[in-house]
């Protein structure tokens, strides 16, 4: 569902207001902060962290999230792991 107030979107069933592109960027930033500088993190561990997050939808957006991590956060992504750049 979506909730509008005075013609503007104020809430949605996704738990966030904004575009999916913005959500992908926010998810990638959250993952970068969570795994900063860590290498060879199993993808299952990355998805498990998002499973425990109360807001971020990621199911169906894994390729976009991995791409965002590679392009804008310097991550190295393989079939089964992600290595995160050290951005401290």
């Amino acid at each position: 569902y979506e909730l509008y107030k005075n013609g503007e979107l104020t809430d949605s069933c996704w738990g966030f207001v904004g575009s999916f592109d913005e959500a992908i960027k926010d998810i990638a930033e959250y993952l970068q902060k969570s795994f900063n500088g860590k290498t060879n993190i199993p993808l299952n561990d990355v998805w498990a962290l998002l499973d425990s997050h109360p807001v971020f939808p990621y199911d169906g957006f894994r390729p976009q999230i991995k791409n965002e991590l590679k392009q804008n956060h310097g991550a190295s992504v393989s079939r089964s792991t992600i290595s995160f750049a050290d951005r401290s």
Side-chain angles (χ1 to χ4, degrees):
Y1 82 92
E2 294 181 331
L3 180 65
Y4 290 85
K5 184 174 184 180
N6 296 325
E8 292 190 29
L9 183 64
T10 58
D11 195 7
S12 73
C13 63
W14 295 103
F16 64 90
V17 175
S19 71
F20 283 111
D21 289 340
E22 290 170 342
I24 298 298
K25 288 178 183 179
D26 289 346
I27 291 168
E29 185 175 319
Y30 171 73
L31 291 172
Q32 175 61 43
K33 287 179 182 178
S34 298
F35 293 107
N36 187 49
K38 296 182 181 176
T39 59
N40 298 317
I41 304 298
L43 284 171
N44 287 339
D45 292 356
V46 174
W47 307 137
L49 179 65
L50 292 178
D51 276 339
S52 68
H53 194 280
V55 174
F56 288 142
Y58 73 92
D59 200 30
F61 299 102
R62 292 177 185 190
Q64 293 91 335
I65 293 167
K66 290 189 283 188
N67 191 49
E68 178 70 20
L69 286 167
K70 288 190 291 188
Q71 288 186 347
N72 297 313
H73 295 278
S76 175
V77 180
S78 74
R79 284 182 147 278
S80 59
T81 65
I82 300 180
S83 293
F84 291 84
D86 187 349
R87 303 244 169 164
S88 28

